[in-house]
């Protein structure tokens, strides 16, 4: 439960920090063809999908879609963008108790 460490606080400040770190990685750390995995244990699109959209709009990275065979049991959690979004209780079997999370794989242009 990563959210237990955050008590109150300013979500706007957190979003700015996340964007700054992800942008720094995409612009300054990744070489052309380098892969970055952006993952959050958050249910908020503002921390997940929206952050990845901002990165893509900046033009430095593009999505490298996650393929179903790479994540057995999570195939149905892959959206049209090739991003993985899991909501608590949406998976079956042994995975039914999985917490919510988001994963996008990006590649530097």
């Amino acid at each position: 439960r990563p959210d237990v460490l955050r008590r109150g606080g300013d979500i706007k400040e957190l979003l700015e920090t996340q964007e700054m770190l992800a942008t720094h990685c995409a612009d300054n750390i990744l070489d052309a063809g380098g892969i970055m995995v952006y993952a959050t244990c958050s249910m908020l699109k503002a921390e997940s999908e929206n952050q990845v959209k901002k990165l893509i709009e900046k033009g430095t990275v593009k999505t490298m879609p996650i393929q179903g065979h790479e994540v057995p049991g999570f195939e149905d959690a892959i959206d049209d963008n090739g991003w993985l979004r899991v909501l608590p209780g949406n998976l079956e079997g042994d995975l039914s108790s999985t917490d919510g999370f988001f994963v996008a794989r990006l590649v530097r242009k």
Side-chain angles (χ1 to χ4, degrees), residues 34-92:
I35 295 171
M36 177 172 90
V37 174
Y38 185 90
T40 63
C41 296
S42 174
M43 302 293 294
L44 300 176
K45 287 188 175 190
E47 289 187 272
S48 306
E49 290 92 339
N50 294 358
Q51 292 286 14
V52 171
K53 287 176 184 176
K54 287 180 193 177
L55 278 174
I56 291 170
E57 289 170 0
K58 291 177 182 178
T60 307
V61 296
K62 64 181 180 178
T63 296
M64 178 184 269
I66 297 169
Q67 304 296 314
H69 69 274
E70 297 175 309
V71 288
F74 293 91
E75 299 89 354
D76 292 339
I78 300 171
D79 69 14
D80 292 340
N81 295 304
W83 304 339
L84 184 72
R85 164 58 81 188
V86 173
L87 301 174
N90 277 4
L91 299 175
E92 298 179 10

Side-chain angles (χ1 to χ4, degrees), residues 12 22 26:
K12 184 178 182 223

